[in-house]
Structure formats: structure tokens, C-alpha cells
Amino acid sequence: MVSHLSHSFVIFPLISCIMRFKLHLRPDHLNTPNIVDDTLPPLPLNKNVVCVFADFLKWIFECIRKHLIEKEPLVGEKHWGKLYKDIDFIITHPNGWEGAQQEKMRRAAVLAELVPDMQSGCKRIIFLTEGESNIHYCLHNHLCEAVDEVRVSL
């Protein structure tokens, strides 16, 4: 049986060269014995982590754009031109990441041309820790019975 991970390498062989790239953004104080610079796969030649993250954001945004234009009849090419300039982007990051890491991710979003390099564009980027993201997912999908019970009793 082929595992999901090995299957992805068969379909997307180039992904392995940038696997775990986001860890290059982490703050130094979050180093652990398992995650230090020496154990991370190197970034592509002549690319820093902001450029790699920008490439990733641009690629995933293009995939979403194509899907919406081709598969969602209410969007289509005609409406996309109006919609994309008002999209807010929520970017998740590990708990413990702070302003310096968020600033690099914000620069990547600007480099990826998701938002313009101005205050109004940068306001469309919202950062959320992975912990906060997880709890929102659980609440939205009613996976937190204890929280649901508290909500009902209030």
C-alpha cells in the first residue's frame, strides 16, 4: 500500500525540494532538538524564505481563482475582476510566532500580488494562530461538545 505522503511525491516530485519551507520563518527561540536549521531541507538556490512563501501563495491563489472561475457559475471571469480586489486573506501560523514572522508573511503576500503594497492592502491580511484556527474549526463543526453545552446554558 502506498502512503499518502509517498503518493504525493509521485504526483508532485518538485514539492519535496521545498517541503517544510515555512519552518525557515520560525523565531530562533522556538528551536527544538527536532527542528533546527541543519535539519531543514534547504531552500531553492537564489531564493529566500519570503520568495518561496510568495511563490506558494501565488500558486495556491491561482488554483483557487481557476476553480472559482471554472466551477462556480456565480463567480465566472466577469465577476472575478470585481471580487479579487476585496478579498481578505487569513494566514495561519504556529502559536508563538510574532510580529517579525508575520511581517515576512505579509511581504510574501505583497510579492505574490495578493494585495497591494500599501496600508489598505496590508489590512486585508489577517493572521491567526493555528491554535485559534483549530478552535474555530471545531466550533463551526460542532466538534466541541463541552463548549456547545456552555453556549446552551448561557
Side-chain angles (χ1 to χ4, degrees), residues 16-131:
S16 64
C17 71
I18 58 166
M19 193 170 95
R20 299 173 53 199
F21 72 88
K22 202 171 167 185
L23 288 174
H24 286 276
L25 287 169
R26 81 198 180 295
D28 292 335
H29 72 274
L30 291 182
N31 276 346
T32 68
N34 298 334
I35 303 173
V36 292
D37 288 337
D38 295 343
T39 63
L40 294 177
L43 296 171
L45 198 57
N46 300 320
K47 290 262 188 178
N48 64 33
V49 68
V50 173
C51 291
V52 172
F53 196 50
D55 290 344
F56 172 74
L57 291 173
K58 191 172 195 128
W59 171 77
I60 201 156
F61 185 67
E62 179 60 20
C63 291
I64 292 167
R65 183 192 73 79
K66 285 175 80 173
H67 172 80
L68 290 174
I69 288 172
E70 294 170 6
K71 307 288 184 194
E72 298 297 328
L74 295 177
V75 176
E77 190 75 48
K78 176 183 170 188
H79 297 292
W80 178 256
K82 297 174 189 171
L83 293 174
Y84 88 94
K85 294 177 182 175
D86 292 322
I87 295 173
D88 289 338
F89 296 90
I90 299 172
I91 300 175
T92 61
H93 59 79
N95 297 350
W97 286 24
E98 299 166 347
Q101 292 74 40
Q102 291 176 355
E103 181 54 34
K104 289 177 183 177
M105 291 187 287
R106 187 177 287 111
R107 279 197 328 232
V110 168
L111 275 174
E113 299 176 347
L114 302 185
V115 296
D117 189 8
M118 49 201 301
Q119 189 173 8
S120 62
C122 290
K123 283 183 177 180
R124 292 176 31 217
I125 301 169
I126 300 159
F127 294 103
L128 193 64
T129 67
E130 290 168 356

